[in-house]
Each structure stands twice: as C-alpha cells, then as structure tokens.
C-alpha cells in the first residue's frame, strides 16, 4: 500500500488546498482522491479514512490514517526530504514553522466571515472589528517574516514553503472578498494569484461540477481577480 490523500472540493476546502498545493507545487508522488464536501458520498469516503473526521486525511502505507493539515504537511516533509517543503536553513525554518502553526491555530473570525470560495469574488464586503484584527495580525506576521528571515519575497521565507501553502487560502479570502490590506500584503496575495500551482488547482476546481451552495454570499459579485502587481507565469 502506498500513501493516499483524501481531499475535499478544490474550490471550497481550504484545508485540502494547503496540502493539495504542496503536492502540486513540489510534484510529490502522492495520489489524491477528492470528495464533494457535505454529501453522502463524502461521508462514505471519509468513513474509509477513519478515524479522520475531516479532510485532508493521509493514509499511510501501513493503512493507518492521519488527520490535521499541519501534521500531514510535516509527514510529507519528512517522507520527501529532498523536495524542500520547509526552508533548509534552521533559523528560517523556525520562522516558517511558527507562521504555519499560528495560521493552523488561528484567524477564526476571518475564516468564519469569509469562507474560501475560489468560484466567487465580491465587492463591498463589510469588515467587522474581529476580521480587521485578524487582517492586522496577518499583515504584521507577513512583514515580520521578511524582517526575521532577511528574504525579500515574494514568498514569506525565501523559496515557497509550507508557510506559504498555509497562507494561500488566507490570500484567496483577501482577494476574493476584496478585503483591505497594505500594499505589501497585496503584493503577497498577488504572488499567490499568479502562482502556477495555484492557478492549476483553481482551474481543476472550476471543472469539478456545479457550485456548492454552502458558502454562497449575497454580496455584489465581481470577476475573479487577476494579480495587480505580478505577472502570472
Ligand atoms: N484542523 C483541521 C481542519 C480540517 C477541516 O475542517 N476540514 C473541513 C473541510 S475544509 C472538513 O473536512 N469538513 C467536513 C466536516 O466537518 O464534516 C485540519 O487542519 O486539517
């Protein structure tokens, strides 16, 4: 038995996207199965990955299944050390680990108010004080990453790493809901919008069937944003 990843809809499952982007960007030889969140089929599929209760879930060659995106990212990094999922420099890696861990544990207000939806973009979205506080913390962390690592960007800790994959869905919320951020943060969002691995992921998600209703919002719709400061490669 080899590794097998269970993921949810590419357009809607932000935790799946973090791991899916790692597989895509680092060309990891890990097969993926995709389920449509909150359907009967998804529940049956998830039952095959017990004791996981959420996606992403990773089945190991032993048959044991591990859950939690941060644990899965660590596992992939350990099993494919040559891929470089974390920065090689220990001091820079420590910063990347801290960023990924805080993202995994936090930003509940932003996640609740602006669920990831790669099929819709809006304007005029109100920003409550809790979301504003999350955005301020995110900007601070992104600036701090550059200062602490001495790396200019576009990625947080030099080359693209787990830290960037973990913030990719945050970047997509800022882009898709048109949330107000600093010019530096906007440039980082643009780097994600232009990232070829992300663009492949989003295109595959658009082909996954009809829209799902659970994240539908009544805000004014606008076309999906193109990067403003970076050319897609
Ligand atoms: N803390 C978990 C969160 C995973 C999660 O909430 N996944 C959602 C999809 S993005 C899910 O599986 N929802 C299905 C459900 O709750 O029934 C992780 O880091 O993997």
């Amino acid at each position: 038995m080899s590794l097998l990843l269970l993921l949810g809809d590419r357009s809607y499952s932000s935790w799946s996207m973090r791991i899916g982007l790692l597989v895509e960007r680092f060309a990891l030889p890990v097969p993926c199965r995709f389920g449509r969140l909150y359907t009967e089929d998804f529940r049956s599929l998830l039952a095959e990955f017990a004791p996981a209760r959420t996606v992403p879930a990773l089945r190991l060659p032993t048959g044991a299944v591990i859950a939690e995106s941060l644990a899965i990212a660590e596992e992939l990094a350990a099993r494919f050390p040559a891929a470089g999922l974390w920065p090689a420099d220990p001091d820079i890696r420590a910063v990347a680990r801290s960023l990924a861990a805080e993202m995994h544990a936090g930003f509940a207000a932003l996640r609740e108010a602006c669920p990831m939806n790669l099929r819709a973009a809006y304007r005029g979205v109100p920003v409550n004080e809790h979301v504003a506080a999350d955005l301020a913390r995110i900007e601070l962390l992104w600036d701090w990453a550059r200062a602490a690592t001495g790396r200019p960007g576009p990625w947080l800790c030099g080359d693209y790493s787990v830290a960037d994959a973990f913030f990719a869905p945050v970047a997509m919320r800022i882009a898709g809901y048109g949330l107000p951020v600093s010019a530096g943060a906007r440039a980082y969002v643009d780097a994600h919008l232009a990232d070829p691995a992300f663009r492949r992921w989003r295109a595959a998600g658009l082909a996954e069937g009809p829209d799902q209703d659970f994240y539908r919002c009544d805000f004014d719709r606008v076309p999906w944003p193109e990067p403003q400061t970076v050319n897609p490669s």
Side-chain angles (χ1 to χ4, degrees):
M1 208 185 278
S2 63
L3 293 171
L4 179 63
L5 262 173
L6 179 63
L7 303 175
D9 311 52
R10 289 177 179 86
S11 300
Y12 305 109
S13 178
S14 60
W15 296 107
S16 298
M17 183 166 103
R18 292 176 172 95
I19 299 304
L21 281 182
L22 290 177
V23 171
E24 184 83 30
R25 205 162 202 293
F26 292 92
L28 304 180
V30 183
C32 300
R33 283 175 76 180
F34 289 86
R36 297 276 281 167
L37 287 178
Y38 310 120
T39 61
E40 271 311 311
D41 284 352
F42 177 71
R43 278 183 271 278
S44 329
L45 204 47
L46 203 47
E48 293 175 34
F49 284 70
R53 295 183 300 184
T54 52
V55 286
L58 178 66
R59 181 180 293 148
L60 305 179
T62 58
V65 172
I66 64 163
E68 292 298 324
S69 47
L70 192 51
I72 292 171
E74 288 290 6
E75 198 49 40
L76 294 175
R79 284 174 189 258
F80 301 102
L85 270 60
W86 290 112
D89 180 296
D91 294 323
I92 295 178
R93 185 167 64 239
V95 172
R97 281 195 200 284
S98 173
L99 291 166
E102 181 163 342
M103 199 292 112
H104 187 246
F107 308 112
L110 174 64
R111 286 169 29 214
E112 167 81 24
C114 304
M116 193 185 84
N117 183 351
L118 302 183
R119 292 178 175 216
Y122 305 100
R123 69 174 166 211
V125 176
V127 176
N128 69 40
E129 63 180 301
H130 305 291
V131 173
D134 275 355
L135 290 173
R137 177 68 184 167
I138 287 161
E139 287 181 356
L140 183 149
L141 284 177
W142 291 353
D143 288 346
W144 168 76
R146 305 282 163 45
T149 63
R151 304 297 155 108
W155 306 117
L156 294 174
C157 300
D159 291 338
Y160 190 100
S161 74
V162 173
D164 299 297
F166 269 62
F167 275 110
V170 171
M172 288 315 119
R173 289 170 161 104
I174 292 171
Y177 290 85
L179 303 177
V181 290
S182 66
R186 180 67 219 189
Y188 181 62
V189 169
D190 280 352
H192 281 287
L193 284 169
D195 175 33
F198 166 73
R199 292 173 82 84
R200 285 196 298 276
W201 177 267
R202 178 167 181 269
L206 292 177
E208 270 176 340
D211 291 354
Q212 295 243 56
D213 275 340
F214 43 74
Y215 292 155
R216 193 180 297 285
C217 294
D218 289 333
F219 305 123
D220 280 352
R221 293 280 291 262
V222 293
W224 182 255
E226 284 298 323
Q228 295 164 11
T229 56
V230 188
N231 287 327
S233 42

